[in-house]
Amino acid sequence: MARGELRIFLGAAPGVGKTYTMLEEAHRRAERGTDVVIASVETHGRKHTQAMIGDLEVVPRAEMRYRGVGFTEMDLDAVLARRPELAVVDEFAHTNVPGARNAKRWQDVRELLDAGISVLTTVNVQHLESLNDVVAQITGVEQRETVPDALVRAAEQVELVDMTPEALRRRMAHGNIYQPEKIDAALGNYFRTGNLTALRELALLWLADKVEEQLDRYRADNKINATWETRERVVVALTGGPEGDTLIRRAARIADRTKGADLMAVHVARNDGLAGADPAALARQRVLVESLGGSYHQVVGSDVPRALLDFARAVNATQIVLGASSRGRFAQIFSAGVGVTTTALSGSIDVHLVTHERAGQGRRRRAPAALSRSRRIAGFLTVLAGLPALTAVLSIGPGLSLINDLLLFLAAVVGVALVGGLWPALLAAVAGSLMLNWFFTPPVGRFTIAESDNLLALAIFVVIAVAVSWVVDTAARTTRQAAEAGADAQTLATVAGGVLRGERPLMALLERLRETFTLDSVTLLDKSVVVAEVGHPVCTRSADADAEVRADDDIVLLLKGRALQASDRRIVEAFAAQAAVALRQERLTAEAAAAKPLAEADRMRTALLAAVSHDLRTPLASAKAAVAGLRSDEVHFDDDDRAELLETADVSLDRLIRLVTNLLDMSRLQAGALGVEAIDVGAEEIVPRALDDLGPPGRAVQLHIPDDLPYLHADPGLLERVIVNLAANALRHSPADRPPVITASALGAQVEIRVIDHGPGIPEDRWDDVFLPFQRLGDRDNHTGAGLGLALSRGLTEAMGGTLMPDQTPGGGLTMVVSLPTAPATNSP
């Protein structure tokens, strides 16, 4: 049975029309003859969405009871039994009522797909797991419902339902999204223009990444190597020479002409030892390209133009920037050079040859030869001086046989080969054979050989001389192999630099490995469990991999794309060892992050004790003075004086109790040891009770709490403390003729309690400072309290799963907004 197809309608925020567009698509499918049913649609009271359901078949929802309360959820069993071709399932990120078949709605959708039923569904960008924290940082609202990104990326189609922030706010103001009583709070909080613009950009960027991923997969599946200019990508080739800075800046200007273009710098490390590359220059150029918003890459290849083009095609580059050849004109006669060759082979990729100061001036640095120039010169000088000297010595000395003369000349050739290498040795062999023939082989003085034995001896002499020269040349090749090892070392050094700069060193390391060896994918396994993976298609079993490299007994790298050569395996093993180190580093970092709150708690306790010594002494001194006066036998107090002293002692002790309680709660909060017992409560119960705790001043606060406000899911005691602190702060700053106001409203899955004062207010750039301990911004009396009220209130609110944010009061003043989650439908009293 074929698996069903998943189509997701992605929105940047509630109200952009995802459900409406999804229902439009359902009607189109039904008109084409597709068997369509509505499994679950949440209209949220929007009449246009409700009307769009029309005559589509609706599968009745399942009735469920939880804690004595009845609820409805999508009836998964009924939809499976009905077996339509297409099911409409709204709100992909949704938690089902406890006791349902699956905990999450996306798990229900997965069962429908496995049963061969295609699904239309919706999701907002703030519900994507990877963006949840980013959205919370932007909007100040943490989303409790999330869905794994992989599920959305796996969908056959993801369609963005887009709307400008201005249009969405107009739709909100017209009452097409929320009820009228919720509109003002929504427009002033989540639906601010800046928030909506940021969410829209997040949605567009996320979808662009998915589209690019789909394109890369299509190109890989269809073996398409040609460049598709779907996005401008500029690759600048670096040699490690001083001209690299010029090339990088020119490539950056080319990339800046197109918004969103990618800039990538690549250095091809030659197999023969990175001829002409300056590691220090490459390091500086890497910093430069990254500071310009680009990325640095390094690949290994014996053919530089082909390696460069392979990289460019792998990243779907549209342009390549190269420096004009630094070689002289004479050298260019024998070899076209990298620039000319790359241009000839580039195909659809545009190649820019950029001139620079060193263009055409010849290479100032060359790859080291097998033997140094001085040794080669010494070898030729030995031939020119040594062979005539040896001939003269043998001519005037005691007469030796031809065999002895041959051995002496052979020794001379061996010496020349050891000093100067192949070419001086070959010259010595030829010159020696001629001298032996002229001076020592009968008939002497003529280049003829009378006896065949002498001819054989001379032939053997030449062969041995050439053989010795070849041995020296082999040693030179060994030197070049050492240079290749140097190239590998530099590659690893470059990788190490990228790992140190990256926020996720392990993923950076695997990505570098994939790029360096042009692999399809790299997977890291720890005890046969996938820890990290890059590329496509990914293999998770050794049997599916083209190569397997083991870092230790537990950690294994699986490579997909091509088999490794023996020379490549050494460096990949080094990659594997570094991957194991990076994995351990990430785990240590996670453990350190877990220990950080404990250290922060210790620091906070120390700061608390140091900062509140005065605030502890003041109420203690006042209470002690009042009690001491009452106990004194030297002074007689009347009833009014006695009552005043008792009231002073009572107020001082109450103040001391509040201070100590705040200190203990702040300490427990920082240590993560504050107990939170969240239940379902009504704001209309908590807020008046908190104002009663303030005494007579609390009765001046005005309350506007709707009767139909949803229940909160919070700790009543902690919430009361928050309201007391915020109301006391508002009373302290409000003028006598304009007392504070407390309002409450529902916004989605949140209830907002607003404590509004009309005092002097606080500049927006100082809003974060009010939540720092020991801050008393704007207090007329800067000696009352330890400045812990707002810091503690925010901590208590966040401990209950909510947020506390400041806002401007229209007309002047400060509004503190407490946002707490509503009680789950399964828990409502």
Side-chain angles (χ1 to χ4, degrees):
M1 175 172 42
R3 192 173 188 271
E5 294 187 356
L6 176 62
R7 182 172 180 178
I8 297 177
F9 295 86
L10 175 68
V16 296
K18 302 181 303 300
T19 303
Y20 191 92
T21 305
M22 177 180 64
L23 290 172
E24 283 185 327
E25 176 64 20
H27 277 287
R28 283 193 292 270
R29 298 280 190 95
E31 291 171 359
R32 293 198 298 266
T34 304
D35 183 14
V36 180
V37 301
I38 294 180
S40 175
V41 166
E42 307 293 342
T43 63
H44 299 290
R46 299 165 188 167
K47 57 183 181 180
H48 297 295
T49 305
Q50 181 67 41
M52 180 53 64
I53 295 177
D55 57 355
L56 292 174
E57 179 184 348
V58 179
V59 176
R61 297 166 71 95
E63 300 285 342
M64 302 184 66
R65 296 192 66 81
Y66 181 71
R67 294 184 178 179
V69 181
F71 303 96
T72 63
E73 285 285 4
M74 180 182 76
D75 194 338
L76 177 60
D77 292 329
V79 178
L80 290 172
R82 171 66 175 72
R83 294 192 63 79
E85 294 180 68
L86 178 67
V88 178
V89 183
D90 205 3
E91 296 189 356
F92 196 40
H94 169 79
T95 300
N96 294 327
V97 175
R101 179 165 171 172
N102 295 308
K104 300 289 185 178
R105 182 162 290 172
W106 59 262
Q107 294 171 321
D108 296 337
V109 170
R110 189 164 58 185
E111 285 201 37
L112 294 175
L113 297 173
D114 291 339
I117 301 173
S118 297
V119 173
L120 301 180
T121 189
T122 62
V123 71
N124 280 330
V125 69
Q126 65 263 30
H127 297 302
L128 297 174
E129 183 66 43
S130 66
L131 299 177
N132 184 256
D133 57 338
V134 179
V135 174
Q137 182 180 3
I138 293 171
T139 64
V141 179
E142 184 176 356
Q143 300 294 331
R144 305 177 68 184
E145 299 283 5
T146 60
V147 61
D149 288 48
L151 297 175
V152 183
R153 290 188 182 279
E156 280 73 17
Q157 296 183 62
V158 178
E159 179 178 333
L160 179 65
V161 182
D162 192 25
M163 178 174 288
T164 64
E166 293 77 13
L168 183 57
R169 285 172 60 86
R170 284 197 300 270
R171 177 180 287 184
M172 171 75 72
H174 293 159
N176 295 330
I177 301 177
Y178 291 147
Q179 298 300 318
E181 63 273 11
K182 301 178 182 179
I183 293 175
D184 291 338
L187 290 175
N189 188 23
Y190 193 88
F191 284 80
R192 295 172 182 167
T193 302
N195 290 355
L196 297 177
T197 302
L199 292 175
R200 187 187 186 202
E201 184 173 8
L202 282 176
L204 290 169
L205 290 175
W206 190 94
L207 187 61
D209 287 342
K210 174 175 171 53
V211 172
E212 185 173 348
E213 179 182 301
Q214 289 178 324
L215 178 60
D216 290 342
R217 184 181 297 113
Y218 176 82
R219 284 163 48 85
D221 293 342
N222 291 274
K223 296 181 173 57
I224 298 174
N225 295 321
T227 299
W228 286 8
E229 298 186 18
T230 56
R231 183 175 181 178
E232 203 72 34
R233 291 180 175 86
V234 181
V235 171
V236 53
L238 303 178
T239 64
E243 75 280 359
D245 293 359
T246 302
L247 300 181
I248 291 171
R249 291 188 175 92
R250 179 61 181 273
R253 290 195 296 271
I254 294 174
D256 287 341
R257 294 171 186 167
T258 305
K259 187 174 180 59
D262 293 334
L263 172 64
M264 290 170 280
V266 60
H267 173 70
V268 179
R270 295 194 180 191
N271 289 337
D272 60 358
L274 288 177
D278 182 351
L282 284 174
R284 291 193 302 270
Q285 290 162 12
R286 175 179 190 144
V287 173
L288 175 60
V289 74
E290 291 177 349
S291 68
L292 294 172
S295 58
Y296 180 86
H297 310 267
Q298 183 160 308
V299 297
V300 178
S302 57
D303 189 331
V304 174
R306 293 190 182 278
L308 176 60
L309 288 171
D310 286 345
F311 172 82
R313 293 189 178 105
V315 298
N316 202 24
T318 57
Q319 302 186 63
I320 297 176
V321 177
L322 291 167
S325 178
S326 301
R327 300 177 309 143
R329 295 181 179 179
F330 183 77
Q332 295 181 32
I333 296 175
F334 298 97
S335 175
V338 173
V340 175
T341 305
T342 302
T343 304
L345 300 176
S346 62
S348 60
I349 304 177
D350 296 336
V351 178
H352 302 265
L353 285 177
V354 179
T355 187
H356 51 86
E357 294 180 356
R358 290 185 53 206
Q361 296 181 5
R363 295 183 182 273
R364 298 181 184 179
R365 296 185 59 190
R366 297 179 181 274
L371 294 176
S372 66
R373 185 169 180 268
S374 60
R375 286 187 61 180
R376 294 196 302 273
I377 293 175
F380 284 115
L381 292 176
T382 302
V383 174
L384 296 177
L387 291 187
L390 177 61
T391 302
V393 170
L394 293 178
S395 298
I396 64 177
L400 298 176
S401 65
L402 180 59
I403 297 300
N404 292 326
D405 293 336
L406 287 172
L407 290 176
L408 290 173
F409 269 87
L410 181 59
V413 172
V414 171
V416 171
L418 294 176
V419 173
L422 178 61
W423 295 109
L426 290 178
L427 176 61
V430 174
S433 64
L434 293 176
M435 289 181 178
L436 283 169
N437 190 357
W438 182 271
F439 291 103
F440 305 105
T441 304
V444 176
R446 296 175 59 187
F447 288 111
T448 58
I449 301 174
E451 298 181 8
S452 59
D453 290 345
N454 294 337
L455 177 62
L456 178 61
L458 284 174
I460 294 174
F461 165 78
V462 174
V463 170
I464 294 176
V466 172
V468 171
S469 303
W470 183 259
V471 169
V472 175
D473 192 63
T474 301
R477 283 198 297 270
T478 304
T479 302
R480 288 196 295 271
Q481 291 175 359
E484 291 180 13
D488 293 347
Q490 184 170 339
T491 299
L492 289 175
T494 302
V495 169
V499 168
L500 291 175
R501 290 182 180 88
E503 294 181 358
R504 300 186 64 190
L506 180 58
M507 298 302 294
L509 186 71
L510 298 184
E511 184 61 32
R512 295 292 186 194
L513 173 59
R514 188 185 69 83
E515 288 181 354
T516 300
F517 293 96
T518 320
L519 299 168
D520 293 336
S521 67
V522 179
T523 307
L524 182 67
L525 303 182
D526 184 7
K527 296 180 180 178
S528 300
V529 177
V530 176
V531 176
E533 58 189 33
V534 295
H536 175 82
V538 174
C539 61
T540 58
R541 300 184 309 164
S542 299
D544 299 332
D546 294 316
E548 175 182 342
V549 178
R550 185 170 294 276
D552 56 27
D553 293 339
D554 298 326
I555 299 177
V556 178
L557 277 180
L558 300 182
L559 312 180
K560 184 76 173 177
R562 67 182 180 89
L564 288 179
Q565 300 177 3
S567 59
D568 293 339
R569 193 170 186 87
R570 292 184 299 105
I571 192 170
V572 175
E573 289 173 350
F575 270 97
Q578 292 297 323
V581 173
L583 177 60
R584 297 186 184 99
Q585 181 78 16
E586 287 190 358
R587 290 173 175 172
L588 288 174
T589 301
E591 293 175 3
K596 184 177 180 180
L598 299 178
E600 184 67 19
D602 290 338
R603 187 195 64 79
M604 179 60 70
R605 280 194 291 269
T606 302
L608 285 170
L609 293 176
V612 301
S613 58
H614 170 76
D615 297 284
L616 286 171
R617 283 196 300 267
T618 301
L620 280 173
S622 299
K624 182 173 179 60
V627 173
L630 291 171
R631 294 185 60 188
S632 175
D633 296 332
E634 299 177 0
V635 181
H636 297 282
F637 299 98
D638 57 23
D639 291 342
D640 291 340
D641 291 337
R642 186 179 296 276
E644 183 177 353
L645 288 173
L646 288 173
E647 183 179 1
T648 299
D650 185 52
V651 170
S652 297
L653 291 174
D654 285 343
R655 179 180 169 189
L656 181 63
I657 289 172
R658 286 196 298 270
L659 178 60
V660 172
T661 302
N662 282 348
L663 288 172
L664 293 176
D665 285 346
M666 179 63 79
S667 180
R668 288 198 297 267
L669 188 64
Q670 293 294 328
L674 182 67
V676 178
E677 297 181 4
I679 61 174
D680 301 340
V681 297
E684 69 278 4
E685 302 175 9
I686 298 298
V687 176
R689 195 163 61 209
L691 296 180
D692 290 340
D693 291 344
L694 290 174
R699 289 189 282 274
V701 179
Q702 300 179 10
L703 291 181
H704 298 289
I705 301 179
D707 295 335
D708 59 347
L709 192 70
Y711 280 91
L712 294 166
H713 191 66
D715 186 310
L718 299 184
L719 179 56
E720 186 175 335
R721 294 278 305 284
V722 172
I723 300 300
V724 167
N725 285 335
L726 297 180
N729 190 66
L731 283 166
R732 189 159 57 249
H733 295 289
S734 294
D737 58 341
R738 301 192 69 183
V741 179
I742 298 181
T743 65
S745 62
L747 178 60
Q750 303 279 324
V751 170
E752 292 186 347
I753 301 175
R754 293 174 172 257
V755 181
I756 306 168
D757 72 60
H758 299 278
I762 297 174
E764 187 171 349
D765 59 353
R766 300 294 306 278
W767 281 357
D768 289 339
D769 294 342
V770 303
F771 296 107
L772 297 175
F774 325 126
Q775 296 292 322
R776 293 185 285 262
L777 301 180
D779 278 0
R780 290 182 289 271
D781 177 10
N782 201 38
H783 299 285
T784 57
L788 290 174
L790 292 180
L792 180 61
S793 296
R794 170 172 272 190
L796 296 177
T797 304
E798 291 176 350
M800 293 184 289
T803 60
L804 174 60
M805 300 294 295
D807 198 1
Q808 291 181 344
T809 301
L814 186 68
T815 298
M816 302 303 294
V817 184
V818 179
S819 298
L820 289 167
T822 58
T826 55
N827 295 344
S828 300

